[in-house]
Amino acid sequence: MPLTVVARLKAKAGMEETLKAVLSGLLAPTRAENGCIFYDMHASDDEKGLFMFTEEWESRERWQDHMNSPHLQAFEAQQSELCESWTLFTGQRV
């Protein structure tokens, strides 16, 4: 069953452009991953430094592979330095 993921990340003050660049760097390698149906990044028009990802994966297992990928692990190592907050939603389309 496909897995939908929505991630919301808010940059720390002064880190907005850095976070945007780092997150943008995740797009191409993630879209090339086995099981990625779509992986889209959005920047808020209303709140500076707020980014949302909408994702769909063939299965939770393929998403977990993504979470363990070298590019995601590299981002996670920087996440606390760049992000004020982040939330993650996972679920299935109804």
Side-chain angles (χ1 to χ4, degrees), residues 16-90:
E16 296 87 356
E17 290 305 314
T18 302
L19 180 59
K20 182 178 182 181
V22 169
L23 294 177
S24 294
L26 299 174
L27 295 172
T30 298
R31 288 173 175 160
E33 287 181 48
N34 186 22
C36 180
I37 298 170
F38 65 81
Y39 186 80
D40 295 328
M41 179 180 152
H42 312 272
S44 175
D45 286 339
D46 302 316
E47 191 173 341
K48 182 179 179 181
L50 177 62
F51 303 95
M52 299 277 273
F53 282 88
T54 55
E55 313 171 28
E56 190 163 346
W57 295 87
E58 289 177 1
S59 66
R60 182 170 289 276
E61 293 76 23
R62 291 292 171 238
W63 173 70
Q64 193 59 55
D65 291 343
H66 161 66
M67 295 302 288
N68 293 322
S69 68
H71 51 276
L72 236 315
Q73 293 296 305
F75 168 68
E76 286 182 12
Q78 303 174 70
Q79 196 166 354
S80 62
E81 171 189 331
L82 300 174
C83 295
E84 173 183 302
S85 64
W86 64 275
T87 59
L88 190 64
F89 166 87
T90 60

